[in-house]
């Protein structure tokens, strides 16, 4: 069963629960330096009707290095179809963020490690597209990851090595153009910049990239 006791890691990570002030500074600097439209979408005031959600950021030890399980969503899904994200979803009635994150990890990937240990959480984030306030829960395991994917929610499981996350050459700035609608007709467009992580054929961007960037920054003493 999950535990809230800190765990010693063979990499320079300190318990996330002690990093509230540093998390805020890291997220603020990341938004201001590299993410267009961050205020009012990811980092601005959260609307009162936003739904609560949680994701599980798992540091999984494979005997040689730490890896982070990510999921590629089926293109058929309404929100974030085809994108890469952490396993997670909305809180059910009476659930804590930790309980929801672990449950969703199990539902999507078909496993809850016996030695799962909770380190803490990163900054909450309002994900504009799905109108969710997401709490990222950070955990560790040394158990071998043998996934049983839910095909409705997961098209592919991706193991991101810690070394790839911290490789600055994989992080790039991109731009995207989006249409502006009025009365269901396109009347204009706008362009925004965002920071993304390239891992093989996979481009990781948006809220997931912001969480990964924060994890990468607060993971070092």
């Amino acid at each position: 069963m999950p535990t809230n006791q800190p765990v010693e890691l063979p990499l320079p990570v300190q318990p996330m629960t002690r990093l509230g002030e540093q998390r805020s500074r890291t997220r603020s600097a990341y938004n201001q330096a590299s993410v267009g439209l961050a205020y009012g979408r990811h980092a601005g005031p959260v609307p009162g009707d936003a739904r609560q959600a949680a994701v599980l950021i798992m540091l999984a030890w494979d005997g040689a290095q730490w890896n982070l399980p990510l999921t590629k969503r089926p293109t058929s899904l309404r929100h974030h179809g085809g994108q890469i994200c952490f396993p997670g979803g909305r809180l059910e009635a009476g659930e804590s963020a930790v309980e929801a994150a672990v449950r969703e990890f199990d539902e999507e990937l078909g496993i809850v490690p016996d030695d799962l240990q909770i380190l803490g959480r990163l900054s909450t984030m309002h994900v504009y597209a799905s109108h969710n306030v997401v709490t990222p829960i950070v955990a560790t395991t040394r158990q071998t990851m043998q996934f049983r994917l839910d095909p409705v929610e997961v098209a592919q499981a991706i193991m991101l090595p810690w070394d790839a996350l911290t490789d600055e050459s994989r992080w790039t700035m991109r731009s995207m153009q989006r249409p502006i609608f009025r009365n269901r007709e396109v009347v204009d467009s706008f362009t925004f910049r965002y920071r993304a992580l390239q891992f093989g054929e996979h481009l990781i961007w948006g809220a997931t990239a912001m969480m990964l960037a924060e994890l990468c920054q607060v993971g070092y003493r």
Side-chain angles (χ1 to χ4, degrees), residues 8-146:
E8 293 297 326
L9 304 177
L11 63 91
V13 171
Q14 53 187 316
M16 303 296 173
T17 50
R18 303 175 186 173
L19 295 172
E21 182 178 351
Q22 183 177 348
R23 288 201 308 267
S24 298
R25 291 199 303 268
T26 302
R27 174 62 54 79
S28 177
Y30 179 85
N31 287 339
Q32 293 174 11
S34 59
V35 181
L37 300 180
Y39 186 82
R41 292 175 68 90
H42 294 307
V46 177
D49 61 346
R51 296 172 290 267
Q52 297 295 316
V55 299
L56 189 60
I57 301 177
M58 180 77 77
L59 286 161
W61 182 252
D62 66 3
Q65 63 180 334
W66 292 99
N67 299 273
L68 293 96
L70 297 166
T71 63
K72 184 174 182 178
R73 296 170 64 84
T75 56
S76 58
L77 292 180
R78 178 181 178 185
H79 293 302
H80 311 295
Q83 293 186 19
I84 297 171
C85 59
F86 290 108
R90 294 174 188 167
L91 273 64
E92 295 182 351
E95 274 190 324
S96 67
V98 170
E99 291 169 336
V102 173
R103 173 182 54 78
E104 289 283 347
F105 191 92
D106 185 23
E107 291 178 1
E108 294 183 21
L109 296 180
I111 184 173
V112 175
D114 295 333
D115 66 343
L116 175 68
Q117 295 195 8
I118 304 298
L119 290 184
R121 63 189 65 196
L122 300 181
S123 306
T124 56
M125 180 189 304
H126 176 226
V127 180
Y128 180 83
S130 58
H131 201 41
N132 290 326
V133 179
V134 180
T135 300
I137 302 298
V138 183
T140 65
T141 180
R142 295 174 182 270
Q143 184 174 319
T144 301
M145 294 282 96
Q146 296 180 340

Side-chain angles (χ1 to χ4, degrees), residues 178-190:
R178 287 285 176 85
I180 298 175
F181 292 92
R182 180 175 300 162
N183 297 326
R184 299 185 178 181
E185 293 186 0
V186 177
V187 296
D188 205 343
S189 65
F190 65 94

Side-chain angles (χ1 to χ4, degrees), residues 200-213:
E201 63 179 347
H202 305 296
L203 184 68
I204 306 169
W205 65 289
T208 302
M210 294 173 70
M211 294 174 193
L212 284 171

